[in-house]
Amino acid sequence: MIVKFQSTATADVITFADVARKLLKLLAKEPTAQGVITPEEMPEALARLAALSGAPQGQGAGLDNDPGHGMEPHELVGLATRAQPFIRMLDRAHLADKAVTWTAAKDFHDA
């Protein structure tokens, strides 16, 4: 499933539900079909996302220490890397004092 993040301050960010679920849970948001991150929530959200870049490689993506076995190639890209467009979106939206919303076809709590 696809999840689209939108803000009037920046271009859309489109990602798969598994990545969006991890990002939203990191921000203490529920992965529902629709939601919002307000400008007031963005400083804390950006701080939480900044912690991803400090995680050891693979840890941010939820990978084990045996890379490549039983995984698809797209799963080898860490969450810290996949989060970069979303982080830039939040940063720009925060500077413009605009909300970020997301939409999906349905709630995406579980894989």
Side-chain angles (χ1 to χ4, degrees), residues 27-86:
L27 303 182
K29 293 285 191 175
E30 289 296 318
T32 55
Q34 295 181 354
V36 64
I37 302 166
T38 64
E40 295 79 19
E41 297 171 312
M42 289 179 192
E44 182 180 347
L46 288 165
R48 288 178 180 215
L49 291 168
L52 286 175
S53 61
Q57 182 150 3
Q59 182 177 339
L63 303 178
D64 59 19
N65 291 329
D66 193 14
H69 296 283
M71 293 184 186
E72 296 295 322
H74 73 276
E75 293 176 312
L76 297 176
V77 177
L79 184 60
T81 301
R82 292 185 184 275
Q84 291 308 307
F86 181 66

Side-chain angles (χ1 to χ4, degrees), residues 2-25:
I2 298 293
V3 180
K4 183 190 288 188
F5 292 94
Q6 297 178 293
S7 175
T8 57
T10 185
D12 296 351
V13 171
I14 299 171
T15 187
F16 289 109
D18 62 332
V19 174
R21 181 182 315 107
K22 290 175 186 175
L23 292 172
L24 291 172
K25 288 192 179 233

